[in-house]
Amino acid sequence: IYEENSGLLPTTAYMDRRYGRAGWTRGFLPSLGIGQGELGVTPLQMALYAAVLGNRGAYHQPHVLHAVIAKNLRTIDTLTFQNRQIAVAPATGDVIREGMRRVVEAEGGTGGMARVRGIQREEKTGTAQNPHGPDHAWYIGFAPFDNPRIAIAVLVENAGFGGSTAAPIAGLCIERYLYGRLIRTKEVPAPTPRRVVTPKAPPPEHAATLQ
């Protein structure tokens, strides 16, 4: 996919090169753990991260092409993709998934604006600080809770908070995918018609000037 880079998950070797062996400590790790510091990710990577959590460690390589077929409908090549199991301790995975469920379902959760009627899901909002302007709004997740069918990542640049900007977009996308249509029942009041005032024609003596 054009313009999709590899991201950055800092290793000990990377930190040594950047700061020197004595220039950083374990105190840097909590910052990386909450998605800050030197960590760099792409939307595709975050969607895949959500999918692995939903699949309890099962990794399926994302792809946009399944096979190459000739004009005569003869299959030339069927592609293969990587599938493997990532080691995630069951207890750790359960804690993460339950925390993500509460983001949406619990009262006061930051992902409340992404709720979809009849679908329990697990997600996480995020607000990425941006030194060059307004913050970026993030949202990742998967649904349904017990038998995931979709994983999603939403990134809205320079849009503020993930819970108020990216979450509603994710909710609508998941709703449309799982139900095949939007089922929101919240009524939005129709806008009050504005009174249109037709301007009066200018006096004849000003017509030439206005032209």
Side-chain angles (χ1 to χ4, degrees):
I1 298 177
Y2 291 114
E3 299 180 0
E4 180 79 12
N5 63 36
S6 59
L8 174 63
L9 182 61
T11 62
T12 298
Y14 171 87
M15 299 296 283
D16 286 345
R17 287 196 307 271
R18 179 163 182 177
Y19 297 104
R21 297 189 62 179
W24 65 282
T25 66
R26 291 183 179 270
F28 281 60
L29 301 183
S31 181
L32 295 174
I34 62 173
Q36 296 186 349
E38 289 74 16
L39 185 69
V41 295
T42 70
L44 179 59
Q45 288 173 328
M46 293 305 293
L48 183 57
Y49 173 72
V52 169
L53 289 174
N55 290 332
R56 296 182 179 274
Y59 168 92
H60 304 289
Q61 181 182 357
H63 55 277
V64 295
L65 181 66
H66 175 68
V68 179
I69 301 176
K71 289 184 178 181
N72 61 3
L73 302 183
R74 182 176 61 85
T75 300
I76 297 176
D77 185 25
T78 299
L79 306 181
T80 58
F81 307 97
Q82 183 183 23
N83 297 290
R84 60 189 174 92
Q85 187 69 27
I86 296 177
V88 178
T92 301
D94 289 343
V95 169
I96 295 174
R97 283 188 291 272
E98 175 60 19
M100 294 176 69
R101 185 189 68 81
R102 295 185 185 185
V103 167
V104 179
E105 303 295 336
E107 183 177 353
T110 58
M113 294 183 71
R115 288 194 187 106
V116 176
R117 181 159 54 89
I119 299 176
Q120 192 176 56
R121 46 202 297 185
E122 303 183 9
E123 294 166 6
K124 182 68 183 76
T125 61
T127 303
Q129 296 176 343
N130 175 24
H132 309 292
D135 295 337
H136 306 313
W138 275 98
Y139 200 84
I140 67 167
F142 61 87
F145 181 88
D146 295 320
N147 184 27
R149 292 173 51 202
I150 180 176
I152 189 170
V154 175
L155 169 63
V156 188
E157 294 181 301
N158 309 123
F161 299 111
S164 59
T165 301
I169 297 173
L172 290 171
C173 290
I174 290 175
E175 182 177 298
R176 179 67 176 80
Y177 182 83
L178 294 180
Y179 284 120
R181 60 189 177 91
L182 297 179
I183 62 170
R184 299 288 168 103
T185 59
K186 182 178 180 181
E187 295 294 335
V188 179
T192 303
R194 293 190 303 169
R195 180 169 172 261
V196 178
V197 179
T198 302
K200 295 181 179 180
E205 60 268 28
H206 294 297
T209 304
L210 292 174
Q211 288 177 358

